[in-house]
Every structure is written in structure tokens, then in C-alpha cells.
Amino acid sequence: MSSVPPVHLVLGDDPRFRADATKALIAELLGADDPSLALEEFSLAPRADTGDADTPAADGPPIVATALGSASTPPFGTERRVIVIRDTPKMSATTKA
């Protein structure tokens, strides 16, 4: 699976189609790897208590920094690591590039 691109962006207006496409992509990327070891998921949805989409807790690190740290950590007991960031705010074309 070395020909797999390092980053995948799932876009679409329908949340259900995005969720289904993301689930299928995760299954394809994981293959036979154990998700409890290979998969890490984050959400940038605004928190109900603060409205801040990038802070998991008042004293915790920003989610994006944590996700990038996870992505740069070598896999342990699996062929690869799959990092998923969900509920990203709407981005412009220049932000996505």
C-alpha cells in the first residue's frame, strides 16, 4: 500500500454521503490493521461549552496540533497510522490547497 497518497480530503454537501465515504476510505486504508492501534480520530466541531472548535479542554493542547503530532508518530504494531479530522470548518479553495 505504499502508493496510497498521504492525505485524503472528503468533500460534499450531504453529511451522510461524507460520512459513508469517510467510513469506506478508513476501512480501505486500515485493511487488516487493528483500528484500536492504527486509527485516531479528532473533531473540529465547536465545543458546546466554549464554542471553540480547536480546543479539546481548557487546559489541553489544540486539536490540530495534537492531530499533527499523531500523524508524525510512527505506527506501532501496524503497517500505518490513519488520522481522521472530522467536522472541519468550511474552508476556501486557497485554504484547502
Side-chain angles (χ1 to χ4, degrees):
M1 281 175 72
S2 61
S3 64
V4 175
V7 175
H8 297 270
L9 182 61
V10 178
L11 298 172
D13 293 328
D14 187 313
R16 185 68 202 153
F17 287 145
R18 281 194 319 266
D20 290 347
T22 301
K23 183 177 179 180
L25 180 59
I26 290 169
E28 178 183 338
L29 293 172
L30 287 174
D33 283 342
D34 181 351
S36 68
L37 296 174
L39 177 64
E40 195 162 354
E41 299 185 79
F42 300 92
S43 175
L44 292 179
R47 288 178 30 149
D49 59 345
T50 66
D52 185 359
D54 193 37
T55 305
D59 57 349
I63 291 171
V64 172
T66 303
L68 289 174
S70 293
S72 64
T73 302
F76 178 76
T78 61
E79 182 179 329
R80 72 182 53 211
R81 291 177 58 85
V82 176
I83 310 300
V84 178
I85 303 175
R86 298 180 187 276
D87 303 316
T88 59
K90 296 233 184 231
M91 297 184 289
S92 69
T94 56
T95 305
K96 294 175 190 168

